[in-house]
Amino acid sequence: MDIFDIGEKIRQQRKSLGLRQAALASKAGISRSTLVALENGNLPELGFGKICALLAALGLDLSITPARAKRPTLDDLRNDQDLE
């Protein structure tokens, strides 16, 4: 997972909660322009504290899991679907 994936998850959760960007930014103590850049994938870096504040404002947690050795290929994903 990278900063762009995090931005996408934040946007999805914000929308599912019916929050406007300005409201979430205010609740997390960041600027709306920073949130917009994060959600749009235009922010290459954001401090850990700000990410944690955003996640807390959305009722989300950050968890650490083992990284995959490699990203799955299209064939890997198809095989996973065939097993279901």
Side-chain angles (χ1 to χ4, degrees):
M1 179 171 274
D2 59 24
I3 190 75
F4 305 110
D5 295 327
I6 292 170
E8 176 64 23
K9 295 292 185 190
I10 286 172
R11 180 173 48 129
Q12 290 171 357
Q13 182 71 0
R14 176 184 61 77
K15 286 185 171 190
S16 75
L17 294 174
L19 288 172
R20 294 186 165 275
Q21 289 173 326
L24 175 57
S26 176
K27 192 173 181 181
I30 65 168
S31 70
R32 181 180 172 272
S33 61
T34 297
L35 179 58
V36 168
L38 176 65
E39 287 186 357
N40 291 331
N42 297 322
L43 190 67
E45 185 65 40
L46 186 63
F48 180 73
K50 291 179 181 179
I51 289 176
C52 287
L54 279 166
L55 295 175
L58 292 167
L60 298 173
D61 285 324
L62 182 64
S63 63
I64 298 173
T65 60
R68 289 187 172 185
K70 63 179 179 115
R71 289 189 170 235
T73 65
L74 184 56
D75 288 334
D76 293 336
L77 295 173
R78 285 184 179 147
N79 288 337
D80 285 347
Q81 285 182 341
D82 290 341
L83 296 175
E84 292 177 0

